[in-house]
Amino acid sequence: MALSVSPLISDGMVIQRGRASEVCGRAKPGCGVTVGFMGEAFTGRARDDGSWRIALGVFEAGGPYSMKIEAAGDELVINDILIGDVWLCGGQSNMELPMGRVRHIYPEELCGAGNPDIRLFAVPQEYDFKAPRDGLNGGRWVCAAPETVSEFTAVGYFFAKRLYERYGVPVGLLAAAVGGTPICAWMERSALLPEDAAHIPERVGEVMREEQARSAAYYAAFDQADAGLLEGWQRPDFDDGDWPERVLDEPWDADMRRTGSIWVRRPF
């Protein structure tokens, strides 16, 4: 089994200052694992299933640093590591809303963002109701820059920016918000009623089917009442001479911020 680590432990990662952190991964069962960081060597051993977990020391804010992990002749080097404050950005759509969605209100933030000490790791949106997962299937650390800041959770970005202005310490954001999720979906199994927890696996499929049927019914009703479909606005020969012209990249006015569908046409 080759040496590997979680995507969280990768180039550009942020480690929490002032408290002991851990590094974990997989390696050949039973082999020794050494983590070299900040001039110290932290050691451990892979379990029978190949998993290993090693506690690091307590460090002050700073960086960038490098880390070397060795096991059974394999070696991994992780670069551009910062030590600062790490925050979990969990919740629903208010937390998930990305900076790209507020670009019209804060254009200077998207064009002028350039702080390599503010970083984001977006946790892949996957679920598993059968058993807890011990790792992630993807994700990467990115710095706040004009080409990446649109991916940042807006609430998290402004929170990190304010913290950095006050303390001057690197900030790492772990984005794990999913819009529309109920609070019970984030709770531990032990926090649910026994009868609810026992039926989670079979209820997942049932709820998904209910949601799909509800969504299909909604869009079917929507299409039946859509004037554009009823009057053939999609036809190339439709006369749209009396339609107003709009710049789609500008904020929408009150007339366009309504529930329903918006039709736009553009000749080519």
Side-chain angles (χ1 to χ4, degrees), residues 41-228:
F42 306 91
T43 61
R45 187 166 296 278
R47 302 180 181 90
D48 292 341
D49 63 356
S51 64
W52 55 267
R53 185 179 297 271
I54 297 176
L56 305 180
V58 178
F59 309 107
E60 297 298 319
Y65 305 111
S66 294
M67 175 185 294
K68 181 184 290 187
I69 305 175
E70 300 174 285
D74 291 334
E75 177 181 294
L76 293 175
V77 177
I78 301 167
N79 297 307
D80 193 25
I81 300 171
L82 297 181
I83 300 174
D85 290 330
V86 181
W87 297 86
L88 176 63
C89 302
Q92 300 173 309
S93 55
N94 287 343
M95 181 63 77
E96 184 183 23
L97 184 78
M99 285 292 291
R101 291 276 297 278
V102 299
R103 63 186 183 279
H104 299 301
I105 306 175
Y106 305 103
E108 70 284 355
E109 296 294 343
L110 276 83
C111 297
N115 190 338
D117 286 347
I118 296 179
R119 302 184 176 184
L120 171 81
F121 185 96
V123 177
Q125 292 191 0
E126 301 176 339
Y127 64 85
D128 190 338
F129 291 101
K130 297 180 181 179
R133 289 189 176 184
D134 58 2
L136 302 175
N137 291 328
R140 64 190 179 96
W141 287 95
V142 295
C143 301
E147 62 271 17
T148 60
V149 72
S150 61
E151 306 171 23
F152 278 58
T153 153
V155 170
Y157 172 76
F158 287 111
F159 174 71
K161 184 179 179 182
R162 182 65 61 86
L163 287 178
Y164 190 82
E165 290 172 350
R166 175 175 294 185
Y167 300 109
V169 169
V171 180
L173 303 174
L174 303 179
V178 182
T181 50
I183 185 60
C184 56
W186 295 90
M187 297 167 64
E188 293 182 333
R189 182 182 290 265
S190 60
L192 302 173
L193 293 175
E195 56 269 28
D196 292 336
H199 297 289
I200 286 178
E202 54 266 32
R203 274 291 292 162
V204 171
E206 182 180 339
V207 170
M208 291 180 67
R209 288 189 293 272
E210 291 174 355
E211 291 293 332
Q212 291 169 354
R214 187 178 297 113
S215 178
Y218 170 81
Y219 284 109
F222 201 77
D223 289 345
Q224 291 173 4
D226 192 319

